[in-house]
């Protein structure tokens, strides 16, 4: 494998990053069999971090092609508010609200952009920042994840964040082990996922 380069993610990367999101969208495994619309997952979980002022993102590039990302925000509440004013309205125009009982995976995703699940006060008060990391299989297990996490921790430290959290599927035991290895622990449990959090060193 050519040496991976980690750089800031930009708008021009979005299509490739949406592919990464779909390619890791089934609890860390390829999710492309789940959805009819291959862009929807990325439009919800990637786009706003790259495009909105309170988001940030890094991508790992191999042979000129983005093959993974780490996306986040210092301030979850500000990010949620920016999504509400500057990201969800356009998607809501394009994808009609499927109503209270969405039947298909696409409809369930569409419901999320009409009724976004906000982080709880208990989590945000202690861990106000959050992030997502996803690497395609070609760059997994090669030390890229820890390098991306170093970039995350530097960004959070520069922004004086007291703590960071993320949401991970309960069946994604590999990622849970990865986060535990980095000092994260479970701070909230949901039906199929857990929220893991970490206080940052200087607080
Ligand atoms: C999870 C992921 C980010 C990890 O990144 P990675 O670069 O593949 O990480 P590695 O497997 O090389 O492991 C990095 C370190 O974590 C440790 N680690 C990884 N998985 C572990 C586990 N299950 N238990 C304990 N330690 C683990 C490794 O031993 C290694 O430690 P070291 O740096 O001290 O040698 C990456 O594999 C990925 O993107 N997977 C698919 C998408 C995904 O699941 N994203 C998370 C969604 S919440």
């Amino acid at each position: 494998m050519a040496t991976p380069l980690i750089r800031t993610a930009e708008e021009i990367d979005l299509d490739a990053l949406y592919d990464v999101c779909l390619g890791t969208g089934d609890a860390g495994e390829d999710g492309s069999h789940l959805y009819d619309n291959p862009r929807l997952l990325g439009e919800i979980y990637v786009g706003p971090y790259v495009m909105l002022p309170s988001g940030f993102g890094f991508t790992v590039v191999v042979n000129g092609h983005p093959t993974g990302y780490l996306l986040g925000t210092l301030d979850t509440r500000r990010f949620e508010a920016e999504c509400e004013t500057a990201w969800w309205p356009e998607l809501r125009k394009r994808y009609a609200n499927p109503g209270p009982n969405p039947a298909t995976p696409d409809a369930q995703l569409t419901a999320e952009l009409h009724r976004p699940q906000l982080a709880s006060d208990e989590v945000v008060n202690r861990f106000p920042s959050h992030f997502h990391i996803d690497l395609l299989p070609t760059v997994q297990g090669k030390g890229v994840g820890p390098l991306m996490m170093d970039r995350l921790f530097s960004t959070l430290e520069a922004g004086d964040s007291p703590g960071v959290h993320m949401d991970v599927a309960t069946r994604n035991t590999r990622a849970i082990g990865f986060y535990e290895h980095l000092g994260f622990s479970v701070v909230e449990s949901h039906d199929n996922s857990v929220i893991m959090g970490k206080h940052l060193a200087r607080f």
Side-chain angles (χ1 to χ4, degrees), residues 28 133-135 140-146 168 172 174-175 177-179 181:
I133 180 171
D134 289 311
L135 309 176
Q140 292 174 13
K142 297 186 164 79
V144 173
V168 54
N172 193 347
R174 175 187 186 170
F178 171 75
Y179 296 131
H181 185 73

Side-chain angles (χ1 to χ4, degrees), residues 1-6 60-65 67 138-139 142 144 147:
M1 184 177 79
T3 308
L5 164 81
I6 296 174
V60 53
V61 178
V62 180
N63 292 328
H65 194 69
T67 51
T138 50
V139 284
K142 297 186 164 79
V144 173
L147 287 176

